[in-house]
Structures are given as structure tokens and as C-alpha cells.
Amino acid sequence: METKYISECEIKKRLDISKCVHSIENMYKVMSTGAYTMGGSNANSHGMRISFARDDRQKNTYIAMPGWLGGEYNLAGLKWHGPNLRGAVEGTTTYTLILNEPNTGFPLAILPANDITTYRTAALSLYAAKLLKKDVYELGLIGAGRIHTAFIQGILQIYPNIKKIKVKGKSELGVAKLISEFKNNTNIEFLAVDSIEEAVKNSDIISINPGFDFDTLADMPIIRSRWLKENSLTICLSFVKFSDDFLINEAIKIADNYAMYESYLEEFGYPVYPKFSSLGSRFIDLVKEKRCAKDEIIDIFDILAGRKKELLQTNKPMVFSSGGMICEDIAVAYDLLKCDMVRK
């Protein structure tokens, strides 16, 4: 066997969002059989964190994401990323992925994984959209980073009838840069909007990814229930705030992997949401508080198994929590590199 090293430049050339969506679909088929494991006592942890002080009084935080994905992949893997500085500009965190032969531990591939992380995150959102939405004409984006660029590339392939895409970003320059990537799509109206409300209203799908760098819960994007269309889908990739009344009584609550958010409860302790403010963390707290039943939370495994269909057969707005799993990185990276890796 030999170890494959590949550059970020070569990875950029190979990445294709539609192929990444296919990788995520295959990954869930494998995970649905139980042939996977991640960290933590429930084998579904996102990853383990370490933090240490810097000379400039900031704090470096690194996260290690170990896992094994079986089936056609049968690979162990570890993604390691940091320093995850508060207030850092996009691109200052470095991701590294190692793919190992599971029985010997031999490193089959070692590769930079920033772009793989971007594409697998967008691909998970696109796969969820395919499962949950048939017709999409208007799209609203909160955040104008690289993940949403890849997301738009894929969404236009899946939903050719889209007529309008609205973008609310942190800066006019960032929004203009994202929109310029699609200047040749003359059949679609791209709009830079000034408020979250404008991005959300009348949208069939809303994707929220402005990041994780907020000092308080009040600083996070707040989505009002009155802005949401019936049967709309809001995909939450980063921190976001909904009212509890909306989540309990008015929303269809969906997660990429509910067990991963259960592991957050063990890691952070109750309440989880003030410490790590993903939508899935709020699901967990509401269940812990007995304000919502666990059976009211749907995840992709439920959908694939045909469970909880009655919860999806309403016109309520859907909210989807996406947290990121090492199994996604393994699937996308292996499908990207399988022609190059020697396995004997």
C-alpha cells in the first residue's frame, strides 16, 4: 500500500457538487444499516475539542473528528481543524483529513480538507432539500460565504424552476462577490437584500449560514415565524434563533442525525443551547425540559425508513438542523480519490 498526498489545488479541480450530493446519499444508505461509528459514548459525537491560550490572549480551539464508515467505503478517518479563532476572517481555520485502512491503520490518504468541508456541507443541505421539497421557485440565503456558493451551484441543478435568489450577507462586498459567480444565469433574479426578513419572506427554501461568532444569543439571526411560508424549508448550518413557541407548536423539526445532538448534552451539559447554539441543541433542550417529545423530532434516518410520515404530511414550515459529521468527509473524500488510492 502507499499513502496518497493531494494538494488543495488538485482537490478544487475534482470537486463537483452533484457528485458530492451522490456521496452523501450513499453515506446515509450505509449509515442506515448501522455500519458507522463516530466518537463519544453514543458513537455519534461530532468531535472532541481542545483549547489553549495564545500569546495574544486569544484562545485556540482545535476539534478532532474521528470515525469509521463501513459498507462500500470501509474506511476509518480523522478530520482535525483549528485554530477556530473568535472573529477570524474566513479561511483562517485549517482542515486536515486522514483516511486509514481500518484493519491496519495504514494512512491511505492525507489531504487538506477546507474545500472538502465546504462541499460536503453544501451537499448535505442539498440532499436534505431533495428529500423534503419538490417545488422551489424562490431561495433566501443568510450568509454569503463559500458554502452558499456551492449550495447555489447544486440547487440550480436540482430545481431548474428557481426564479429568484435573495442574499443577506455581513457585507455588501461579500454579497456582490457571491452574486457575481452566477452572472451568466440570466433567467434568475439575484437580489442583495438588507434584512433577514426580506431574505426569508416568500422563500421556499431558506439557508442560514452566517457563522458561529456571536457574543450573545441576542446577536444571532432571529427568524420570526410570521415570515415563513407554509411548507417552507429552513436549513440551519450555523447558529440561529427561533421562538420556542414556534418550534414546539408550529414547526416540523428535522435533524441530520438526532443522536449527534444527544451527544452534545453529555459534552456540554444542560442547557446545551446557550453553550453551543445550533438548532439541534435547542431541540435537545426542549426534549430535556419535557416541552417537546423526542418522537416529534425527525431525522434523515427516520425519513429513509419511512417512519414519522404523519409529521411530514402537513403544511407547517420545516426547520432542519445540520451539524457536520466525519462520515460526510470520509464519503466525499473517498469518492473523490478512490481511483488514486491503492488498497490491497
Side-chain angles (χ1 to χ4, degrees), residues 233-285:
L233 170 63
T234 303
I235 301 170
C236 303
L237 300 166
S238 60
F239 291 173
V240 64
K241 177 71 175 172
F242 295 90
S243 75
D244 285 351
D245 181 68
F246 168 71
L247 291 177
I248 294 166
N249 298 308
E250 301 177 50
I252 301 172
K253 299 170 282 294
I254 310 164
D256 48 352
N257 177 7
Y258 183 76
M260 180 170 61
Y261 303 99
E262 290 183 311
S263 76
Y264 286 155
L265 182 61
E266 180 176 340
E267 179 182 353
F268 293 106
Y270 171 81
V272 183
Y273 185 70
K275 301 160 192 167
F276 188 75
S277 305
S278 70
L279 177 61
S281 297
R282 192 63 198 135
F283 292 167
I284 290 295
D285 284 347

Side-chain angles (χ1 to χ4, degrees), residues 302-342:
D302 292 320
I303 295 170
L304 295 179
R307 298 187 293 265
K308 304 183 182 179
K309 287 182 180 179
E310 70 283 357
L311 296 177
L312 290 168
Q313 292 172 347
T314 71
N315 285 321
K316 292 180 177 180
M318 296 174 282
V319 292
F320 178 83
S321 181
S322 175
M325 299 181 285
I326 180 59
C327 293
E328 299 166 34
D329 301 284
I330 292 172
V332 168
Y334 177 68
D335 288 341
L336 193 74
L337 301 176
K338 60 186 174 184
C339 295
D340 299 313
M341 290 196 299
V342 177

Side-chain angles (χ1 to χ4, degrees), residues 5-79:
Y5 300 90
I6 189 166
S7 69
E8 195 81 67
C9 182
E10 180 63 23
I11 289 170
K12 286 179 187 290
K13 293 177 185 177
R14 298 187 187 198
L15 279 167
D16 177 274
I17 191 61
S18 62
K19 291 179 181 178
C20 292
V21 174
H22 183 66
S23 296
I24 296 298
E25 182 175 9
N26 283 343
M27 176 203 77
Y28 268 107
K29 288 177 182 176
V30 172
M31 291 178 72
S32 293
T33 70
Y36 79 97
T37 188
M38 298 191 290
S41 61
N42 73 348
N44 278 277
S45 173
H46 172 79
M48 182 183 74
R49 300 158 189 267
I50 63 167
S51 297
F52 52 93
R54 296 161 53 98
D55 293 338
D56 59 6
R57 298 185 181 180
Q58 290 200 72
K59 183 174 68 173
N60 285 333
T61 298
Y62 281 77
I63 301 175
M65 301 168 61
W68 166 75
L69 182 62
E72 64 193 82
Y73 297 99
N74 193 27
L75 285 172
L78 172 71
K79 189 167 78 171

Side-chain angles (χ1 to χ4, degrees), residues 59-63 81-88 92-95:
K59 183 174 68 173
N60 285 333
T61 298
Y62 281 77
I63 301 175
H81 61 95
N84 293 302
L85 293 173
R86 287 294 307 274
T92 54
T93 289
T94 298
Y95 296 77

Side-chain angles (χ1 to χ4, degrees), residues 155-174:
I155 209 92
L156 295 180
Q157 296 174 29
I158 297 169
Y159 302 104
N161 292 326
I162 286 180
K163 301 300 181 186
K164 183 184 292 186
I165 298 177
K166 301 163 294 182
V167 186
K168 167 70 174 74
K170 292 180 180 178
S171 70
E172 292 182 7
L173 183 62

